[in-house]
Amino acid sequence: MAGLVISLPAQAEDACLEDSLLIRGDFGQARFSVDVADTETERAQGLMNRSHMPSSAGMLFVYETTRSASFWMRNTLIPLDMLFADEHGVVQHIHSNAIPLDETPIFGGDEVRYVLEINGGLAAAMGISVGSEMRHKNFLQEIANWRC
């Protein structure tokens, strides 16, 4: 897991890419390769039917408006951590180790704009916590805590 926490040169840190999300906090900083789900169809599909996901990968859900958000694990085969962030890209809630195939709703909060799904247990192993800040090209840059 330590391989995911990286120190980036200033030039690389300035680049915001569609397939890359940065997260920082007391643990340091990490980069995830992400698939972006920013349409209703993509969000409904999510990570369903995937049997494996690299430890440095994830899926970023982007909503058009800040909203109440609930997820479930229907047809999702791998345990996931769900990081629910507000419109500023700040993690407000973490649901750890969501159970594969479980259809119980997982409530993420009332002020959710972005959700990052990563492999189950990874957030705790890395030290990612509530208050960590995420950075991505699709975030509202004018109000993001960590701008591109």
Side-chain angles (χ1 to χ4, degrees), residues 6-65:
I6 52 177
S7 175
L8 299 171
Q11 188 175 32
E13 191 176 11
D14 291 339
C16 276
L17 306 171
E18 181 76 18
D19 64 349
S20 182
L21 178 136
L22 295 173
I23 187 164
R24 68 181 179 188
D26 292 340
F27 67 93
Q29 187 169 300
R31 179 185 305 271
F32 289 93
S33 296
V34 293
D35 292 327
V36 176
D38 59 1
T39 69
E40 193 60 42
T41 301
E42 292 169 338
R43 290 189 293 262
Q45 178 64 35
L47 290 170
M48 287 183 181
N49 302 310
R50 294 191 192 186
S51 61
H52 174 74
M53 183 168 63
S55 60
S56 61
M59 179 166 276
L60 176 64
F61 294 78
V62 177
Y63 294 97
E64 294 83 13
T65 60

Coordinates of all heavy atoms in Angstrom, one line a residue, residues 6-65:
I6 N 2.7 8.9 -2.7 CA 3.8 9.3 -3.5 C 4.1 10.8 -3.3 O 3.2 11.6 -2.9 CB 3.5 9.1 -5.0 CG1 2.2 9.7 -5.4 CG2 3.6 7.6 -5.3 CD1 1.8 9.5 -6.9
S7 N 5.3 11.2 -3.6 CA 5.6 12.6 -3.6 C 5.8 13.0 -5.1 O 6.6 12.4 -5.8 CB 7.0 12.8 -2.9 OG 7.4 14.1 -3.0
L8 N 5.0 14.0 -5.5 CA 5.0 14.4 -6.9 C 5.8 15.6 -7.1 O 5.7 16.5 -6.3 CB 3.5 14.6 -7.3 CG 2.6 13.5 -7.2 CD1 1.2 13.9 -7.5 CD2 3.0 12.4 -8.3
P9 N 6.6 15.7 -8.2 CA 7.2 16.9 -8.5 C 6.2 18.0 -8.8 O 5.1 17.7 -9.3 CB 8.0 16.6 -9.8 CG 7.7 15.2 -10.2 CD 6.8 14.6 -9.1
A10 N 6.5 19.2 -8.6 CA 5.6 20.3 -8.8 C 4.9 20.3 -10.2 O 3.7 20.5 -10.3 CB 6.3 21.7 -8.5
Q11 N 5.7 20.0 -11.2 CA 5.1 20.1 -12.6 C 4.1 19.0 -12.7 O 3.0 19.2 -13.3 CB 6.3 19.9 -13.6 CG 5.8 20.1 -15.0 CD 7.0 20.0 -15.9 OE1 7.9 19.2 -15.7 NE2 6.9 20.7 -17.0
A12 N 4.3 17.8 -12.3 CA 3.3 16.7 -12.4 C 2.1 17.0 -11.6 O 1.0 16.7 -11.9 CB 3.9 15.4 -12.0
E13 N 2.3 17.6 -10.4 CA 1.2 17.9 -9.5 C 0.3 18.9 -10.1 O -0.9 18.9 -9.9 CB 1.8 18.5 -8.2 CG 0.8 18.6 -7.1 CD 1.4 19.1 -5.8 OE1 2.6 19.5 -5.8 OE2 0.7 19.1 -4.8
D14 N 0.8 19.8 -11.0 CA -0.1 20.8 -11.7 C -1.0 20.2 -12.7 O -2.0 20.8 -13.1 CB 0.8 21.9 -12.3 CG 1.5 22.7 -11.2 OD1 1.1 22.7 -10.1 OD2 2.5 23.3 -11.6
A15 N -0.7 19.0 -13.2 CA -1.5 18.5 -14.3 C -2.7 17.8 -13.7 O -2.6 17.0 -12.8 CB -0.6 17.5 -15.1
C16 N -3.9 18.1 -14.3 CA -5.1 17.4 -13.9 C -5.6 16.7 -15.2 O -5.8 17.3 -16.2 CB -6.2 18.4 -13.5 SG -6.1 18.9 -11.7
L17 N -5.8 15.4 -15.0 CA -6.1 14.6 -16.2 C -7.5 13.9 -15.9 O -7.8 13.6 -14.8 CB -5.0 13.5 -16.4 CG -3.6 14.1 -16.6 CD1 -2.6 12.9 -16.6 CD2 -3.5 14.9 -17.8
E18 N -8.1 13.6 -17.0 CA -9.4 12.9 -16.9 C -9.3 11.5 -16.2 O -10.2 11.1 -15.5 CB -10.0 12.7 -18.3 CG -11.4 12.0 -18.4 CD -12.5 12.9 -17.9 OE1 -12.3 14.2 -17.9 OE2 -13.6 12.4 -17.6
D19 N -8.2 10.8 -16.4 CA -8.1 9.5 -15.9 C -7.3 9.4 -14.6 O -6.8 8.3 -14.2 CB -7.6 8.5 -16.9 CG -6.1 8.9 -17.3 OD1 -5.6 10.0 -17.0 OD2 -5.5 8.1 -18.1
S20 N -7.1 10.5 -13.9 CA -6.2 10.5 -12.7 C -6.8 11.4 -11.7 O -7.3 12.5 -11.9 CB -4.8 11.1 -13.1 OG -4.0 11.0 -12.0
L21 N -6.9 10.9 -10.4 CA -7.4 11.6 -9.3 C -6.3 11.7 -8.2 O -5.7 10.6 -7.9 CB -8.6 11.0 -8.7 CG -9.2 11.6 -7.5 CD1 -10.7 11.7 -7.6 CD2 -8.8 10.9 -6.2
L22 N -6.1 12.8 -7.7 CA -5.1 13.0 -6.6 C -5.9 13.1 -5.3 O -7.0 13.7 -5.3 CB -4.2 14.2 -6.8 CG -3.3 14.2 -8.0 CD1 -2.6 15.5 -8.1 CD2 -2.3 13.1 -7.8
I23 N -5.4 12.6 -4.2 CA -6.0 12.8 -2.9 C -4.8 13.1 -1.9 O -3.8 12.5 -2.0 CB -6.8 11.6 -2.5 CG1 -7.6 11.8 -1.2 CG2 -6.0 10.3 -2.4 CD1 -8.7 10.8 -0.9
R24 N -5.1 14.0 -1.0 CA -4.1 14.4 0.0 C -4.7 14.5 1.4 O -5.9 14.8 1.5 CB -3.4 15.7 -0.4 CG -4.3 16.9 -0.3 CD -3.5 18.2 -0.7 NE -4.4 19.3 -0.6 CZ -4.1 20.5 -1.0 NH1 -2.9 20.7 -1.6 NH2 -4.9 21.5 -1.0
G25 N -3.9 14.3 2.4 CA -4.4 14.4 3.7 C -3.2 14.3 4.7 O -2.0 14.3 4.2
D26 N -3.5 14.0 5.9 CA -2.4 13.8 6.9 C -1.5 12.6 6.5 O -0.3 12.6 7.0 CB -3.0 13.5 8.3 CG -3.7 14.7 8.9 OD1 -3.4 15.9 8.4 OD2 -4.5 14.6 9.8
F27 N -1.9 11.7 5.7 CA -1.2 10.5 5.3 C -0.1 10.9 4.3 O 0.8 10.1 4.0 CB -2.1 9.4 4.8 CG -2.8 9.8 3.5 CD1 -2.2 9.5 2.3 CD2 -3.9 10.5 3.5 CE1 -2.8 9.9 1.1 CE2 -4.6 10.9 2.3 CZ -4.0 10.6 1.1
G28 N -0.3 12.0 3.6 CA 0.5 12.4 2.5 C -0.3 12.6 1.2 O -1.4 13.2 1.3
Q29 N 0.1 12.0 0.1 CA -0.6 12.2 -1.1 C -0.6 10.9 -1.9 O 0.4 10.2 -1.9 CB 0.1 13.3 -1.9 CG -0.6 13.8 -3.1 CD 0.1 15.1 -3.6 OE1 0.1 16.1 -2.9 NE2 0.6 15.1 -4.8
A30 N -1.7 10.7 -2.7 CA -1.7 9.5 -3.5 C -2.4 9.9 -4.9 O -3.2 10.8 -4.9 CB -2.5 8.4 -2.8
R31 N -2.2 9.0 -5.8 CA -2.8 9.2 -7.2 C -3.5 7.9 -7.5 O -2.9 6.8 -7.3 CB -1.7 9.5 -8.2 CG -2.3 9.6 -9.6 CD -1.2 9.8 -10.7 NE -0.3 10.9 -10.4 CZ -0.5 12.2 -10.8 NH1 -1.6 12.5 -11.5 NH2 0.3 13.1 -10.5
F32 N -4.7 8.0 -8.0 CA -5.5 6.8 -8.5 C -5.8 7.0 -9.9 O -6.1 8.1 -10.4 CB -6.8 6.7 -7.7 CG -6.6 6.2 -6.3 CD1 -6.5 7.2 -5.3 CD2 -6.5 4.9 -6.0 CE1 -6.4 6.8 -3.9 CE2 -6.4 4.5 -4.6 CZ -6.3 5.4 -3.6
S33 N -5.7 5.9 -10.7 CA -6.2 5.9 -12.1 C -7.6 5.7 -12.0 O -8.0 4.7 -11.3 CB -5.5 4.8 -12.9 OG -4.1 5.0 -13.0
V34 N -8.5 6.5 -12.5 CA -9.9 6.4 -12.4 C -10.6 6.4 -13.7 O -10.2 7.0 -14.7 CB -10.5 7.6 -11.5 CG1 -10.0 7.5 -10.1 CG2 -10.2 8.9 -12.1
D35 N -11.7 5.6 -13.7 CA -12.7 5.7 -14.7 C -13.8 6.7 -14.1 O -14.1 6.6 -13.0 CB -13.4 4.3 -14.9 CG -12.5 3.3 -15.5 OD1 -11.6 3.7 -16.3 OD2 -12.7 2.1 -15.2
V36 N -14.2 7.6 -15.0 CA -15.2 8.6 -14.6 C -16.6 8.2 -15.0 O -16.8 7.9 -16.1 CB -14.8 10.0 -15.1 CG1 -15.9 11.0 -14.8 CG2 -13.4 10.4 -14.7
A37 N -17.5 8.2 -14.0 CA -18.9 7.9 -14.3 C -19.7 9.3 -14.1 O -19.9 9.7 -12.9 CB -19.5 6.9 -13.4
D38 N -20.0 10.0 -15.2 CA -20.6 11.3 -15.1 C -21.9 11.4 -15.8 O -22.5 12.5 -16.0 CB -19.6 12.4 -15.5 CG -19.1 12.3 -16.9 OD1 -19.5 11.3 -17.6 OD2 -18.3 13.1 -17.3
T39 N -22.4 10.2 -16.2 CA -23.8 10.2 -16.8 C -24.6 9.2 -16.0 O -24.0 8.4 -15.3 CB -23.8 9.7 -18.3 OG1 -23.4 8.3 -18.3 CG2 -22.8 10.5 -19.2
E40 N -25.9 9.3 -16.1 CA -26.8 8.4 -15.3 C -26.5 7.0 -15.7 O -26.4 6.1 -14.8 CB -28.2 8.8 -15.6 CG -29.2 8.2 -14.6 CD -28.9 8.5 -13.2 OE1 -28.7 9.7 -12.9 OE2 -29.0 7.6 -12.3
T41 N -26.3 6.7 -16.9 CA -26.0 5.3 -17.4 C -24.7 4.8 -16.8 O -24.7 3.7 -16.3 CB -26.0 5.2 -18.9 OG1 -27.3 5.7 -19.4 CG2 -25.7 3.8 -19.4
E42 N -23.7 5.6 -16.8 CA -22.4 5.2 -16.3 C -22.4 5.0 -14.8 O -21.9 4.1 -14.2 CB -21.3 6.2 -16.7 CG -21.0 6.3 -18.1 CD -20.1 7.5 -18.5 OE1 -20.1 8.5 -17.8 OE2 -19.5 7.4 -19.6
R43 N -23.1 5.9 -14.1 CA -23.3 5.8 -12.6 C -24.1 4.6 -12.3 O -23.7 3.9 -11.3 CB -23.9 7.1 -12.1 CG -23.0 8.3 -12.1 CD -23.5 9.5 -11.3 NE -24.7 10.0 -11.9 CZ -24.7 11.1 -12.7 NH1 -23.6 11.7 -13.0 NH2 -25.9 11.5 -13.2
A44 N -25.1 4.2 -13.0 CA -25.9 3.0 -12.7 C -25.1 1.8 -12.9 O -25.2 0.8 -12.1 CB -27.1 3.0 -13.6
Q45 N -24.2 1.7 -13.9 CA -23.3 0.6 -14.1 C -22.2 0.5 -13.1 O -21.9 -0.6 -12.6 CB -22.7 0.7 -15.5 CG -21.8 -0.5 -15.9 CD -22.4 -1.8 -15.9 OE1 -23.6 -1.9 -16.3 NE2 -21.7 -2.8 -15.5
G46 N -21.6 1.6 -12.7 CA -20.5 1.6 -11.8 C -19.5 0.5 -12.0 O -19.0 0.3 -13.1
L47 N -19.1 -0.1 -10.9 CA -18.1 -1.2 -11.0 C -18.7 -2.6 -11.0 O -18.1 -3.6 -10.7 CB -17.1 -1.1 -9.8 CG -16.2 0.1 -9.9 CD1 -15.5 0.3 -8.6 CD2 -15.2 0.0 -11.0
M48 N -20.0 -2.7 -11.5 CA -20.6 -4.0 -11.5 C -19.9 -5.0 -12.4 O -19.3 -4.6 -13.4 CB -22.1 -3.8 -12.1 CG -23.0 -3.2 -11.2 SD -24.6 -3.1 -12.1 CE -25.6 -2.3 -10.8
N49 N -19.9 -6.2 -12.0 CA -19.4 -7.4 -12.8 C -17.9 -7.4 -13.0 O -17.4 -8.1 -13.8 CB -20.1 -7.5 -14.1 CG -21.6 -7.6 -13.9 OD1 -22.1 -8.4 -13.1 ND2 -22.4 -6.8 -14.6
R50 N -17.2 -6.5 -12.3 CA -15.7 -6.6 -12.4 C -15.2 -7.5 -11.3 O -15.5 -7.4 -10.1 CB -15.1 -5.2 -12.2 CG -15.4 -4.3 -13.3 CD -14.6 -3.0 -13.2 NE -15.1 -2.0 -14.1 CZ -14.5 -0.8 -14.3 NH1 -13.4 -0.6 -13.7 NH2 -15.0 0.0 -15.2
S51 N -14.3 -8.4 -11.6 CA -13.8 -9.4 -10.7 C -12.5 -9.0 -10.0 O -12.1 -9.6 -9.0 CB -13.6 -10.8 -11.3 OG -12.7 -10.6 -12.4
H52 N -11.9 -7.9 -10.5 CA -10.7 -7.4 -10.0 C -10.5 -5.9 -10.3 O -11.0 -5.5 -11.4 CB -9.5 -8.2 -10.6 CG -8.2 -7.7 -10.2 ND1 -7.6 -7.9 -9.0 CD2 -7.3 -7.0 -10.9 CE1 -6.4 -7.3 -8.9 NE2 -6.2 -6.8 -10.1
M53 N -9.8 -5.2 -9.4 CA -9.4 -3.9 -9.7 C -8.0 -3.6 -9.1 O -7.8 -3.9 -8.0 CB -10.4 -2.9 -9.1 CG -10.2 -1.4 -9.4 SD -11.5 -0.3 -9.0 CE -11.6 -0.5 -7.2
P54 N -7.1 -3.1 -9.9 CA -5.8 -2.8 -9.4 C -5.8 -1.9 -8.2 O -6.7 -1.1 -8.1 CB -5.0 -2.1 -10.5 CG -5.8 -2.6 -11.8 CD -7.2 -2.7 -11.3
S55 N -4.9 -2.0 -7.2 CA -4.9 -1.3 -6.0 C -4.8 0.2 -6.2 O -5.2 1.0 -5.4 CB -3.9 -1.7 -5.0 OG -2.6 -1.6 -5.6
S56 N -4.2 0.6 -7.4 CA -4.1 2.1 -7.6 C -5.2 2.6 -8.5 O -5.1 3.7 -9.1 CB -2.7 2.3 -8.3 OG -2.6 1.6 -9.5
A57 N -6.3 1.8 -8.7 CA -7.4 2.2 -9.6 C -8.6 2.5 -8.7 O -8.7 2.2 -7.6 CB -7.6 1.1 -10.6
G58 N -9.6 3.1 -9.4 CA -10.9 3.4 -8.8 C -11.9 3.9 -9.8 O -11.6 4.0 -11.0
M59 N -13.1 4.3 -9.3 CA -14.1 4.9 -10.1 C -14.5 6.1 -9.4 O -14.8 6.1 -8.2 CB -15.3 4.0 -10.4 CG -16.3 4.6 -11.2 SD -17.6 3.5 -11.9 CE -16.7 2.9 -13.3
L60 N -14.6 7.2 -10.2 CA -15.0 8.5 -9.7 C -16.4 8.8 -10.3 O -16.6 8.9 -11.5 CB -14.1 9.6 -10.1 CG -14.5 11.1 -9.7 CD1 -14.5 11.2 -8.2 CD2 -13.5 12.1 -10.4
F61 N -17.4 9.0 -9.4 CA -18.8 9.4 -9.7 C -18.9 10.9 -9.6 O -18.5 11.4 -8.5 CB -19.8 8.7 -8.8 CG -19.8 7.2 -8.9 CD1 -18.8 6.4 -8.4 CD2 -20.8 6.6 -9.7 CE1 -18.8 5.0 -8.5 CE2 -20.8 5.2 -9.8 CZ -19.8 4.4 -9.2
V62 N -19.3 11.5 -10.6 CA -19.4 13.0 -10.7 C -20.9 13.3 -10.9 O -21.5 12.8 -11.9 CB -18.6 13.6 -11.8 CG1 -18.8 15.1 -11.8 CG2 -17.1 13.3 -11.6
Y63 N -21.5 14.1 -10.0 CA -22.9 14.5 -10.2 C -23.0 16.0 -10.7 O -22.1 16.8 -10.3 CB -23.6 14.4 -8.9 CG -23.8 12.9 -8.5 CD1 -22.9 12.3 -7.6 CD2 -24.8 12.1 -9.0 CE1 -23.0 11.0 -7.2 CE2 -24.9 10.8 -8.6 CZ -24.0 10.2 -7.7 OH -24.1 8.9 -7.4
E64 N -24.0 16.3 -11.4 CA -24.2 17.7 -11.9 C -24.5 18.7 -10.8 O -24.2 19.8 -10.9 CB -25.4 17.7 -12.9 CG -25.1 16.9 -14.2 CD -25.4 15.4 -14.0 OE1 -26.0 15.0 -13.1 OE2 -24.9 14.7 -14.9
T65 N -25.2 18.2 -9.7 CA -25.5 19.0 -8.6 C -25.2 18.3 -7.3 O -25.1 17.1 -7.3 CB -27.0 19.4 -8.6 OG1 -27.8 18.1 -8.5 CG2 -27.4 20.1 -9.8

